[in-house]
Amino acid sequence: MPKFKYITSIVYDSCESDLPLVYIDYRPYAILKFSEHEEAENVKFQLNISGRMIDFGLSDKHYCPVALFHPSERESVMESFHNHFLDFFGTSVNYQWRTYNYKIPIPRLQNLSVCIRMDIPQEFEDMKNVDNFFSSCPVLKSIDLYFWAFESLSPESESIVYQVESIKINQFDRTVPAVLRNFQGRQAFMMCFLCEPLELIEFVNRWKSGEAFQNLEYLKIIPLHQEIPRDFFMTAIGARHIDGTRKPPTHTVPRVYVEYAHRSNTDPITSHSYVVRKSDNRVASVSIEDRTLSFGVWDKTEEEFLRMAD
């Protein structure tokens, strides 16, 4: 029971297959595999899962039980297992579905959120299926987007992208889609070929005014082919500074999407520079290093933040 208290996630991972492997948290070994029936002799045993008798085999590759089903039973069998996990672990656990394939439908299951990686090349002619995915997808929690097309998503799909809790995006044109301007989620990791310093200044000033980015916890942006003029930038955003003789607090928060177990938190930001939001006096640490702008929002007022120094 003490071990169960530390379990935070049940992950359905279909990144390498249309049928997911199931993991507890982000551990390297699966606890369950799904597979379609092939031969009757593959059945090793049966179990009652949420009132449904399900055939099981064993996986020599993944060293875990394999839930067997006929094609017409796909969603109902997965729903039975999901209900079993809900009964066993409860609703405090985070249930995630991870995929690289926007063409495969994702079952609508209670408390299930979706994390997807998607590549949109320059010559892309499948926007309709992308739009269908976004419109039919359960709650989209995180997206890892490689976007090189010159034409953006439909307005409806763009709106969904801007609302995800966490986005990681590599893009040629920072305005397609315009994540830096319209993001409404908690964490953004951005890499683009060019990003004008004035756009970064506008981002910070809109946060300071309380006009936008009210939910933001962390942003990291790397313009690949352009330096960020540090002194000009800090002056333009009205940055305040902790005295150089004091050690500033380090900002880091748990990642919404954990890709690797050893990187469960955002990269730390330790900076003497910070800005203050007018509406609630909240502080954000600001750092520019190696062409990278890092922006971390504290759940602290300026007075509370300064008391944390040293």
Side-chain angles (χ1 to χ4, degrees):
M1 290 306 296
K3 281 189 174 184
F4 287 163
K5 292 178 182 178
Y6 290 98
I7 292 173
T8 60
S9 300
I10 299 296
V11 179
Y12 299 90
D13 189 328
S14 66
C15 293
E16 297 181 2
S17 170
D18 295 346
L19 297 172
L21 289 164
V22 182
Y23 295 87
I24 291 179
D25 289 334
Y26 311 101
R27 297 171 188 172
Y29 302 108
I31 62 167
L32 179 69
K33 183 180 187 294
F34 291 97
S35 181
E36 292 186 2
H37 262 295
E38 292 181 357
E39 298 177 3
E41 55 264 29
N42 287 338
V43 178
K44 304 296 184 184
F45 58 93
Q46 289 186 320
L47 287 177
N48 186 325
I49 304 295
S50 297
R52 183 189 188 104
M53 294 304 297
I54 294 179
D55 295 335
F56 282 85
L58 295 172
S59 171
D60 294 332
K61 178 180 178 182
H62 298 285
Y63 304 103
C64 68
V66 180
L68 302 170
F69 58 88
H70 298 288
S72 61
E73 302 173 319
R74 182 181 191 269
E75 290 204 13
S76 60
V77 167
M78 289 184 184
E79 184 176 8
S80 293
F81 274 98
H82 189 72
N83 290 338
H84 175 71
F85 292 143
L86 285 168
D87 290 340
F88 196 80
F89 294 106
T91 56
S92 60
V93 172
N94 179 22
Y95 298 91
Q96 284 188 13
W97 187 290
R98 298 183 176 185
T99 183
Y100 291 167
N101 192 342
Y102 61 85
K103 296 180 181 180
I104 301 299
I106 296 171
R108 288 186 171 273
L109 303 173
Q110 183 182 347
N111 286 36
L112 182 69
S113 59
V114 177
C115 303
I116 185 171
R117 176 176 175 178
M118 188 178 295
D119 293 327
I120 309 293
Q122 284 187 0
E123 302 296 329
F124 189 71
E125 299 179 352
D126 201 23
M127 284 295 187
K128 183 176 180 181
N129 276 328
V130 172
D131 289 339
N132 289 340
F133 171 83
F134 283 125
S135 64
S136 64
C137 184
V139 177
L140 188 60
K141 190 179 187 74
S142 170
I143 185 167
D144 185 350
L145 187 60
Y146 287 72
F147 200 99
W148 307 112
F150 298 113
E151 177 186 353
S152 191
L153 302 166
S154 70
E156 293 79 14
S157 293
E158 273 198 4
S159 175
I160 293 171
V161 168
Y162 298 148
Q163 294 176 52
V164 298
E165 289 189 44
S166 173
I167 186 168
K168 179 182 176 184
I169 183 168
N170 288 259
Q171 58 189 147
F172 180 80
D173 185 342
R174 74 273 183 192
T175 65
V176 183
V179 173
L180 184 61
R181 180 167 183 80
N182 297 308
F183 187 59
Q184 300 166 36
R186 292 165 51 194
Q187 299 172 10
F189 308 82
M190 303 177 62
M191 187 178 291
C192 54
F193 271 77
L194 295 173
C195 188
E196 296 294 335
L198 291 178
E199 292 174 296
L200 300 177
I201 292 167
E202 180 190 25
F203 153 73
V204 176
N205 287 335
R206 290 179 71 210
W207 179 87
K208 286 176 59 181
S209 70
E211 173 190 344
F213 314 113
Q214 286 90 350
N215 300 319
L216 188 67
E217 297 173 345
Y218 182 89
L219 177 135
K220 183 175 184 178
I221 183 166
I222 305 174
L224 293 176
H225 292 283
Q226 194 165 8
E227 298 280 353
I228 303 173
R230 188 182 187 283
D231 293 342
F232 170 75
F233 177 81
M234 291 296 184
T235 300
I237 65 173
R240 304 179 188 184
H241 305 279
I242 297 173
D243 187 271
T245 61
R246 304 176 69 191
K247 183 180 178 181
T250 297
H251 178 280
T252 185
V253 292
R255 289 177 181 261
V256 170
Y257 173 67
V258 178
E259 188 171 6
Y260 305 106
H262 66 280
R263 295 191 64 193
S264 59
N265 289 344
T266 57
D267 293 339
I269 305 172
T270 305
S271 175
H272 286 83
S273 303
Y274 67 95
V275 290
V276 180
R277 188 160 57 192
K278 295 176 183 177
S279 58
D280 56 8
N281 205 34
R282 288 289 187 266
V283 168
S285 294
V286 184
S287 170
I288 295 177
E289 292 184 7
D290 301 325
R291 290 187 177 176
T292 300
L293 168 64
S294 300
F295 189 88
V297 180
W298 292 86
D299 186 20
K300 304 286 183 185
T301 64
E302 184 177 20
E303 182 180 350
E304 293 167 335
F305 172 76
L306 292 175
R307 281 204 299 263
M308 294 172 62
D310 292 327

